[in-house]
Each structure stands twice: as structure tokens, then as C-alpha cells.
Amino acid sequence: MSWQEAVERGVHALGYELVDVERSAGGLLRVFIDRVAGRSYESGAGDAVTVDDCERVTRHLQYALDVDGVDYARLEVSSPGLDRPLRKAADWERFAGSEVDLTLRSPFQGRKHWRGQLQPREAGWRLLLAPDAANPTEALDFDLKEVREARLVPQLDFKSRRARPAAT
């Protein structure tokens, strides 16, 4: 069994999704996990990965990788972040309707970088673009094999943080 399979098996055994895994020459093994939509977790409700989730997966992987004889110097487990990459077909389906930054393998209309709302099509995908003077195109239709990289656009809500009244 390869080290990638050992990591994937360990992450899935705890009910998380393996988003990505990186291994550096210095022995660092970096694992990015996400919660599976609709599933409940011990560390609380919501879709966001918590510190407790990362700790749980880290402890499990330390033992599992030791049993499988995987050599590494340091293990890091974290969430994929607010700008989560879309790698697998299931990611694209899960985040349909979300705003996405997309980089194409080859330029289209002189550009490789696009941003828009991700929509499924019968054969492929579509980005609904906000039309403006610099971008007269309203939609970009593409197939996954044309994509070099895609990431969610972080959605931050600072309006929910209201100023507190001054203490008297």
C-alpha cells in the first residue's frame, strides 16, 4: 500500500473527506481534510473543520501511518481553507452555485483567469460572469479537462460583527 492510500484510508475511516495531501523532501506530510456535507461530527455542527477535527485525524493518522510503515518527520492536518481547491468531480458537484476562481490550461479570449458562479451543464460546466466593460462575456462554458486550477472565492461576512457600545 502506498503512503497516499494509507492517508486516504485513515481520513475516510473517521468520516472526513481527503481534499489534498502533500509530501515534502524534508519529511513533512501535510494533509488537508474537509467535513462531508450532511454528516454530524463529535466536535460540533456546521460545515467548517474545527481544531478538534484536525487533532482527531492527526492522532489517528500517527498510529495508522506507523502501523503501515510510512516514513515521515512531521505531520500537519488542516482544513483546506476558505479558498478551498476543487479537485475531484464530487467537489464540482458539491460547490455548484458557489463563486469560483478558475484558471484555464489555455487562454480563452486572451485570458486564463476567470471568476464567476459555478453552474452545471449537461456536458460540462459554466461560469456565470458579472458583465462589465472589461468582460463582455456573460458566461464561460468549459470541461474539467480544460481547467488547470479552481478554488472557491472566500465569502466573509463582517456585517455580523457590530460595534459594541462604549463602557461608561
Side-chain angles (χ1 to χ4, degrees), residues 18-31:
L18 179 63
V19 175
D20 200 7
V21 61
E22 299 172 356
R23 191 170 189 174
S24 71
L28 172 63
L29 185 57
R30 188 173 285 139
V31 177

Side-chain angles (χ1 to χ4, degrees), residues 95-154:
F95 293 106
S98 299
E99 191 173 11
V100 173
D101 279 330
L102 183 76
T103 303
L104 298 173
R105 293 185 187 279
S106 300
F108 175 72
Q109 294 182 349
R111 296 174 49 186
K112 285 187 174 185
H113 303 283
W114 298 84
R115 177 179 280 190
Q117 184 184 30
L118 182 64
Q119 298 292 319
R121 287 186 6 212
E122 283 186 33
W125 293 90
R126 170 175 285 164
L127 271 186
L128 297 178
L129 310 169
D132 60 18
N135 183 30
T137 306
E138 293 181 12
L140 173 69
D141 293 341
F142 61 94
D143 192 271
L144 294 184
K145 65 183 176 203
E146 298 174 281
V147 176
R148 173 175 288 147
E149 180 182 36
R151 291 184 169 272
L152 294 177
V153 174

Side-chain angles (χ1 to χ4, degrees), residues 30-157:
R30 188 173 285 139
V31 177
F32 298 94
I33 62 169
D34 203 358
R35 288 183 166 191
V36 176
R39 184 180 174 133
S40 61
Y41 292 88
E42 293 175 17
S43 55
D47 294 332
V49 173
T50 66
V51 173
D52 291 337
D53 294 329
C54 295
E55 182 180 356
R56 184 172 179 229
V57 172
T58 298
R59 287 185 179 166
H60 181 77
L61 285 178
Q62 286 173 332
Y63 292 114
L65 296 176
D66 188 38
V67 168
D68 290 335
V70 176
D71 186 34
Y72 65 94
R74 193 172 84 223
L75 175 64
E76 291 180 6
V77 176
S78 68
S79 78
L82 294 175
D83 62 341
R84 182 193 199 281
L86 305 180
R87 302 221 191 275
K88 300 173 272 194
D91 296 341
W92 292 85
E93 293 167 14
R94 176 179 174 188
F95 293 106
S98 299
E99 191 173 11
V100 173
D101 279 330
L102 183 76
T103 303
L104 298 173
R105 293 185 187 279
S106 300
F108 175 72
Q109 294 182 349
R111 296 174 49 186
K112 285 187 174 185
H113 303 283
W114 298 84
R115 177 179 280 190
Q117 184 184 30
L118 182 64
Q119 298 292 319
R121 287 186 6 212
E122 283 186 33
W125 293 90
R126 170 175 285 164
L127 271 186
L128 297 178
L129 310 169
D132 60 18
N135 183 30
T137 306
E138 293 181 12
L140 173 69
D141 293 341
F142 61 94
D143 192 271
L144 294 184
K145 65 183 176 203
E146 298 174 281
V147 176
R148 173 175 288 147
E149 180 182 36
R151 291 184 169 272
L152 294 177
V153 174
Q155 302 296 316
L156 303 173
D157 178 20

